[in-house]
Amino acid sequence: MKKAIYPFAAILLVAASAFTFIKSQDWKVNDDYTIKFSSEDPSGEFKGLQGAIKFDETDLASSKFDVTVDVSTINTGNGMKNTHAKSDKWFDATKFPTINFTSTSIIKTPSGYDAKGNLQIHGVTKEFTIPFTFQKTATGGIFISSFDINRLDFNINTAEPNHGASKLKVDLNIPVTKA
Amino acid sequence: MYKRIFYLSISSGIFAAFACIVYNKVYFFAFEIEFKKQVNPGSVIGINLLACIAAGAGYYLFKSLLRKYADRVFNIVFMCFTFASLVVPLAISLPLDVQNPELFPALAIPMHFFPFVGWFSLKPFFIRD
């Protein structure tokens, strides 16, 4: 009878392992992150990044980004431009206070990763892909991304398509530590 | 004549720079915000001296060319340049690490009038009509 315990235990272990799930790593954003945008005019940055970042290079299926950026934190270096950017003519920060990105899938690419998901700006939600790389550091890692975005796709001041640049380059540098 | 104009330029430049430094202190006292990289004693003294020396050069030129009408024309031109210069603090984009950039014009715009004020306040001490 005792001999039967070992095969039984082995079967139980194998069976149990089938129900084991790997929880993706949660990351906490460090304060020194940067969200910069640049064009001929304007250029600047956002602060106020919040949300949940789950990312595991070995388990992309359960990795997920669900983040928001506070529109009122926009800084172009010029007070007048900041005020205009937050007005109803541009971002309308009172009505649409945040920019949201929720990933639906993350896939490996030759140069890094692609986070596919829904980007909501100015109340307009569009499918959007954010390419990024992840560099491991001693204390955690850094998400680095660079992509272009067209403000007209999100109905931002479509009445004046040539007032300032319509296409802007966005550069993200987001150092994180394990949560 | 050119010596008096030169002394007037230097004096009004120093006067304007002193006024800017005092105003900067008052502004900091009121709002507890400083724009050290943009407004500091070095930049303030340099810019005000440069503005007043340029004004002096212009005044000398007008005196040489227009003689009788030189003062009237110069005053108008100096005023126009002063008003035109107000665009700079409104349009300038400060470095992104500068906090509250919307408070910068309220600091810088009054300063743009100080060379003008300094020049006309001190002019009677150096040049008599």
Side-chain angles (χ1 to χ4, degrees):
Chain A
M1 183 65 186
K2 272 187 179 178
K3 285 181 182 175
I5 288 175
Y6 297 108
F8 179 73
I11 290 165
L12 193 67
L13 194 67
V14 170
S17 68
F19 295 98
T20 303
F21 68 96
I22 300 165
K23 189 174 178 265
S24 209
Q25 175 66 51
D26 288 317
W27 298 95
K28 183 175 172 280
V29 178
N30 296 353
D31 291 337
D32 56 342
Y33 67 88
T34 56
I35 304 170
K36 293 188 175 177
F37 58 91
S38 56
S39 67
E40 281 183 24
D41 183 44
S43 293
E45 68 175 5
F46 283 98
K47 286 288 178 187
L49 175 65
Q50 286 184 328
I53 297 175
K54 291 174 187 283
F55 182 71
D56 189 333
E57 289 177 291
T58 60
D59 183 23
L60 295 177
S62 63
S63 298
K64 190 177 174 72
F65 299 125
D66 188 3
V67 291
T68 63
V69 173
D70 186 352
V71 171
S72 66
T73 62
I74 190 169
N75 182 15
T76 61
N78 181 292
M80 200 166 58
K81 283 183 188 171
N82 292 351
T83 306
H84 287 173
K86 286 181 257 186
S87 72
D88 56 357
K89 194 175 174 184
W90 294 87
F91 279 99
D92 199 353
T94 310
K95 201 172 173 185
F96 309 109
T98 56
I99 293 169
N100 308 321
F101 179 74
T102 308
S103 69
T104 51
S105 70
I106 297 172
I107 56 167
K108 183 94 177 82
T109 63
S111 57
Y113 303 93
D114 273 355
K116 293 183 178 182
N118 295 313
L119 178 64
Q120 188 185 62
I121 304 175
H122 195 237
V124 177
T125 305
K126 289 210 171 264
E127 280 190 14
F128 202 82
T129 300
I130 297 179
F132 71 94
T133 59
F134 181 72
Q135 295 174 4
K136 282 183 180 171
T137 63
T139 54
I142 307 173
F143 291 100
I144 297 170
S145 178
S146 184
F147 56 91
D148 291 332
I149 196 163
N150 191 331
R151 67 175 170 85
L152 301 177
D153 291 344
F154 295 91
N155 292 346
I156 296 173
N157 197 10
T158 47
E160 295 175 303
N162 297 321
H163 186 166
S166 54
K167 196 176 174 185
L168 296 103
K169 187 180 176 222
V170 179
D171 290 296
L172 310 177
N173 189 305
I174 302 170
V176 290
T177 47
K178 287 181 181 178
Chain B
M1 183 68 174
Y2 72 89
K3 272 188 180 175
R4 287 184 175 190
I5 294 173
F6 179 73
Y7 292 143
L8 170 61
S9 301
I10 298 295
S11 305
S12 54
I14 291 168
F15 174 87
F18 178 72
C20 285
I21 289 166
V22 171
Y23 179 65
N24 190 32
K25 295 280 180 198
V26 171
Y27 197 82
F28 177 72
F29 181 75
F31 296 103
E32 291 193 345
I33 188 155
E34 275 185 307
F35 297 93
K36 280 183 181 174
K37 284 181 186 169
Q38 291 73 35
V39 182
N40 55 61
S43 68
V44 159
I45 291 168
I47 289 169
N48 280 293
L49 277 177
L50 200 69
C52 289
I53 288 170
Y59 185 67
Y60 182 75
L61 189 71
F62 281 22
K63 275 285 187 191
S64 306
L65 295 175
L66 302 174
R67 296 181 187 280
K68 194 179 171 184
Y69 301 104
D71 280 87
R72 293 177 200 174
V73 176
F74 172 78
N75 292 356
I76 298 293
V77 170
F78 198 179
M79 180 186 72
C80 290
F81 268 101
T82 300
F83 276 113
S85 73
L86 301 184
V87 173
V88 176
L90 287 171
I92 196 170
S93 286
L94 301 175
L96 296 178
D97 60 340
V98 174
Q99 298 297 310
N100 302 108
E102 62 276 6
L103 294 177
F104 182 70
L107 172 69
I109 285 176
M111 290 180 174
H112 279 234
F113 287 99
F114 292 162
F116 188 79
V117 172
W119 177 277
F120 288 105
S121 300
L122 299 180
K123 190 184 168 193
F125 293 98
F126 293 90
I127 298 163
R128 289 178 189 172
D129 292 330

